Amino acid sequence: GITSPRLAASTTSQVLASRQAADPVFERTLSRAVERGFIPAADVDQVREKVGRMAREYGFDPDDFARVVLMESDGMNPSATNGRCHGIIQFCGGPGRGAASVGFASRPQDISKMSVLQQLDLVDRYFQDVGIPRSGTRVMSLDDLYLSVLTPAARSLRAADAPLPIPGTQARVLYEGGQQGAAITRRSITQGLLRYAQERLPAAASQITTQISQQISAVTDRALGTAASTGAASTQPAGGSNWPPSRQIVAANTLETP
């Protein structure tokens, strides 16, 4: 039969509403990226599909991926650069760093000339290179996802309040108490990324606020669980961790000092 324009419009609206309800941060970040000219409107469905596929394979939340790229590149700006690091997750130049891991050791700046769709293929390759397991289930926390981008070697420190060995100057919101000079911990990363996204996506604020309370509760529970199992908050690498403890690839956000 023939579908009426009114029914088609209604179906489209329902699909959009369903997506926004399921992944409000990601969908708002995607819309914002189109509004700012980061992503052509014609590429939106393919970007959504690629991020969704990686989310399923690597076990992260699409909303958490959005929070990471909001911090790293203002929300999927493919041209974002600080002179040393480039693209949507800030692939950095230098031996053993992010750009080299995806084949751009000699010309890391060329990454910023690629589209978001092309860079997502590099993100997939990078995630494989830093050893993110293909779990097929939603198991990766926001802090693990961000550390995979920022300093993969730090993932072996599991305690929520353990100071992490992260080089360079990072965004203020990532530090304990929002104070540069304080420690960066898994707890401060989680809280900082959640709040940073909330500030930049006011249209999704009510749904994001609910997620903030849930994720902060989760990281607190992990901290209590670590303390209970060890008798104190441990700063040693966790035995049996999935993360390669010797991994040294480092990607940095746009606030890293040269």
Side-chain angles (χ1 to χ4, degrees):
I2 299 175
T3 301
S4 71
R6 180 177 296 178
L7 179 59
S10 175
T11 301
T12 300
S13 297
Q14 290 171 352
V15 169
L16 290 173
S18 175
R19 286 172 177 164
Q20 290 167 356
D23 303 307
V25 184
F26 176 73
E27 288 297 329
R28 183 66 191 99
T29 301
L30 195 55
S31 296
R32 182 177 178 271
V34 173
E35 292 164 5
R36 296 189 171 215
F38 301 159
I39 300 173
D43 288 354
V44 166
D45 286 343
Q46 292 180 75
V47 169
R48 181 185 290 113
E49 189 280 328
K50 283 192 176 185
V51 173
R53 177 184 55 76
M54 284 194 292
R56 291 188 298 273
E57 290 183 358
Y58 294 112
F60 61 78
D61 188 331
D63 281 351
D64 285 346
F65 183 81
R67 294 180 176 107
V68 169
V69 295
L70 279 165
M71 175 61 69
E72 294 299 292
S73 61
D74 192 32
M76 289 190 281
N77 178 0
S79 301
T81 182
N82 66 356
R84 294 179 60 192
C85 307
H86 313 274
I88 60 173
I89 65 166
Q90 293 294 278
F91 297 95
C92 291
R97 305 197 78 186
S101 77
V102 295
F104 285 80
S106 60
R107 294 187 59 83
Q109 65 273 19
D110 286 352
I111 292 174
S112 62
K113 301 173 185 177
M114 302 171 70
S115 70
V116 170
L117 272 176
Q118 292 170 321
Q119 289 189 29
L120 285 172
D121 290 335
L122 299 185
V123 172
D124 191 358
R125 182 174 171 182
Y126 174 80
F127 283 172
Q128 294 177 50
D129 196 55
V130 297
I132 299 180
R134 293 178 181 269
S135 65
T137 57
R138 183 73 60 85
V139 296
M140 188 184 299
S141 63
L142 174 57
D143 46 306
D144 267 332
L145 180 61
Y146 190 61
L147 287 173
S148 296
V149 170
L150 185 64
T151 310
R155 294 174 303 189
S156 59
L157 299 178
R158 304 305 300 171
D161 57 353
L164 299 174
I166 295 174
T169 301
Q170 307 303 323
R172 185 180 300 276
V173 72
L174 297 175
Y175 293 84
E176 285 286 343
Q179 299 296 318
Q180 284 181 335
I184 295 179
T185 66
R186 285 177 173 271
R187 176 179 57 205
S188 68
I189 285 173
T190 299
Q191 294 176 344
L193 291 175
L194 289 166
R195 289 174 177 146
Y196 190 85
Q198 186 181 36
E199 291 170 1
R200 274 147 187 78
L201 304 175
S206 61
Q207 290 159 301
I208 296 171
T209 298
T210 299
Q211 290 184 333
I212 286 177
S213 61
Q214 292 172 341
Q215 292 218 32
I216 289 178
S217 294
V219 77
T220 300
D221 289 345
R222 292 209 313 274
L224 293 173
T226 300
S229 63
T230 63
S234 173
T235 59
Q236 298 301 313
S241 170
N242 288 327
W243 307 120
S246 62
R247 193 66 194 169
Q248 293 301 319
I249 287 179
V250 179
N253 69 33
T254 54
L255 297 182
E256 185 198 44
T257 53

